[in-house]
Amino acid sequence: MIRTGIIIGSTRPGRKGDRVAEWVRDLAAEHAGDAADFDLVDLKEHALPLLDEAVPALMAPGERPHTRRWAERIGSYDAFIVVTPEYNAAPPASLTNAIDYLYAEWGGKPVAYVGYGICGAVMAVQKLRAQAGVLRMADIGPQVALSLREDFVNLTDFRPQELHVPEVHALVDELLTWAQALAPLRAEPAATA
């Protein structure tokens, strides 16, 4: 069974990401059946401070207890779906900070994106895709782009259009295919510079 972490990228009060992530989890679990397990990873619950490790994650594992807990959690997954809003044409600082804490735990794993915002968080996802390559992640093509104007009533109440259901299914299918293909890579120890 492929373990998939669905990362809720926003920690902001009044955020919409938790509802979006639950919707993705429910659709993904129903679609994938016994092939995969989908687990919500809420950055709000991890309460990571601004990066406070003296040595970059590429060079050595983090030493602080919160870093070790985060590394253990992320290291336990085979694949990821990142649910992100877009703030000023970028992903939220909470998400990029959480990503920056680790290196080896991300490598050899596929990542997919579900974005929400006025234009579906397309620019935020574009920045995350660039970061994924540096982390040796397989950034898969499909993105689900949810519009605050069309998928949220009064910009707040999440009511996704039905056209997004097959998009989520396609995203899950490709993510799981990549996770199976990359399994041998995940079994190898990560090389460091």
Side-chain angles (χ1 to χ4, degrees):
M1 177 175 291
I2 297 169
R3 285 190 35 84
T4 304
I6 300 175
I7 299 174
I8 304 171
S10 176
T11 59
R12 187 179 193 168
R15 66 188 177 160
K16 297 159 189 59
D18 50 349
R19 287 168 282 162
V20 174
E22 289 167 359
W23 172 75
V24 170
R25 179 200 56 205
D26 294 346
L27 284 176
E30 181 182 345
H31 181 68
D34 293 337
D37 178 44
F38 297 88
D39 185 32
L40 296 179
V41 180
D42 193 343
L43 295 183
K44 200 171 191 175
E45 293 173 3
H46 286 276
L48 294 167
L50 286 177
L51 186 57
D52 61 353
E53 292 288 349
V55 178
L58 172 66
M59 306 303 282
E63 296 180 358
R64 298 187 182 273
H66 55 264
T67 306
R68 290 182 184 208
R69 284 190 301 274
W70 180 236
E72 184 177 322
R73 180 84 186 266
I74 293 304
S76 73
Y77 296 110
D78 304 309
F80 299 97
I81 299 172
V82 175
V83 174
T84 185
E86 184 170 283
Y87 303 151
N88 302 315
S94 54
L95 178 56
T96 56
N97 184 59
I99 293 168
D100 288 344
Y101 261 95
L102 307 175
Y103 181 78
E105 294 80 4
W106 300 117
K109 299 175 183 181
V111 59
Y113 303 96
V114 176
Y116 60 95
I118 295 300
C119 296
V122 173
M123 292 174 72
V125 168
Q126 188 175 27
K127 290 178 174 139
L128 290 168
R129 288 183 190 282
Q131 190 176 30
V134 173
L135 296 170
R136 299 175 38 253
M137 299 180 85
D139 161 36
I140 69 161
Q143 174 191 345
V144 177
L146 302 166
S147 167
L148 288 177
R149 292 185 184 119
E150 297 170 6
D151 297 300
F152 293 82
V153 175
N154 297 322
L155 305 178
T156 57
D157 184 22
F158 181 51
R159 294 193 196 157
Q161 299 174 79
E162 281 299 313
L163 64 92
H164 295 302
V165 172
E167 293 174 350
V168 172
H169 291 168
L171 179 146
V172 168
D173 289 343
E174 187 165 336
L175 185 74
L176 298 182
T177 299
W178 275 97
Q180 289 173 332
L182 292 172
L185 183 60
R186 288 191 305 276
E188 297 173 11
T192 58

